[in-house]
């Protein structure tokens, strides 16, 4: 009956409204960056350094790389279908990945993680889609989602 999605076009019988964007940062441990990007972050070093993907449909890393180096790069990737596993793998030096900012900002602040290219984040717009049924519970849920989105997402 309702979902937060990255798709703006509403599903049949639903309304869609923007709620903000999830900010992702390309991050890795300092040791990983020193080992794989000592000569800088570019198409060649990105092609050689292990990256992390959620699943075979995850294109965040590809999108970030295309924007950062202005070309398509084939990435070597480990699949980790867990956002917390992404953070843990980055902290452990297994690879670099696109991490939700709200999950890694303390690690970035402390230096346990570093951005591959500081300031080059990727904002993914999110939408609240809800069935057009007149259900008070759905209306309350929508207000709660909007409030939480206002506190956690970028506008």
């Amino acid at each position: 009956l309702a979902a937060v999605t990255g798709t703006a076009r509403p599903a049949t019988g639903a309304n869609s409204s923007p709620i903000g964007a999830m900010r992702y940062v390309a991050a890795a441990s300092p040791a990983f960056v020193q080992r794989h990007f000592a000569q800088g972050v570019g198409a060649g070093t990105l092609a050689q350094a292990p990256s992390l993907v959620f699943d075979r449909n995850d294109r965040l890393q590809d999108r970030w790389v295309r924007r950062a180096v202005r070309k398509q790069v084939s990435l070597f990737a480990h699949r980790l279908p867990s956002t917390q596993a992404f953070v843990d793998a980055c902290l452990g030096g297994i690879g670099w990945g696109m991490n939700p900012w709200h999950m890694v900002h303390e690690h970035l602040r402390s230096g346990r993680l570093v951005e591959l290219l500081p300031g080059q984040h990727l904002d993914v717009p999110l939408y609240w889609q809800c069935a057009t049924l007149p259900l008070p519970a759905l209306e309350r849920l929508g207000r709660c989602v909007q409030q939480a989105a206002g506190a956690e997402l970028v506008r």
Side-chain angles (χ1 to χ4, degrees):
L1 293 176
V4 172
T5 178
T7 304
R9 184 175 180 187
T12 302
N15 291 320
S16 178
S17 57
I19 58 172
M22 177 81 73
R23 177 159 289 172
Y24 288 87
V25 294
S29 71
F32 183 91
V33 170
Q34 180 60 38
R35 185 168 58 253
H36 293 281
F37 299 113
Q39 303 305 315
V41 176
T45 54
L46 286 163
Q48 297 298 313
S51 66
L52 307 171
V53 297
F54 189 83
D55 60 23
R56 62 188 161 141
N57 299 316
D58 181 4
R59 298 288 178 253
L60 289 178
Q61 287 67 219
D62 294 323
R63 287 173 55 193
W64 182 84
V65 167
R66 207 169 31 254
R67 186 191 301 169
V69 299
R70 303 199 189 293
K71 65 189 310 189
Q72 185 74 28
V73 176
S74 293
L75 300 175
F76 170 73
H78 298 293
R79 286 188 191 164
L80 292 169
S82 160
T83 52
Q84 187 59 55
F86 256 61
V87 175
D88 294 341
C90 286
L91 287 166
I94 294 171
W96 72 271
M98 298 302 296
N99 291 281
W101 181 85
H102 73 275
M103 291 183 70
V104 297
H105 67 92
E106 288 298 323
H107 297 302
L108 293 167
R109 185 184 58 71
S110 70
R112 291 187 300 268
L113 290 177
V114 295
E115 288 186 68
L116 298 189
L117 293 172
Q120 289 204 21
H121 53 265
L122 182 65
D123 291 343
V124 177
L126 297 177
Y127 303 86
W128 173 244
Q129 292 203 20
C130 186
T132 56
L133 302 171
L135 298 173
L138 277 179
E139 291 171 15
R140 284 192 307 275
L141 179 60
R143 286 191 300 273
C144 289
V145 168
Q146 291 282 353
Q147 182 179 10
E152 296 296 325
L153 300 178
V154 295
R155 298 261 174 186

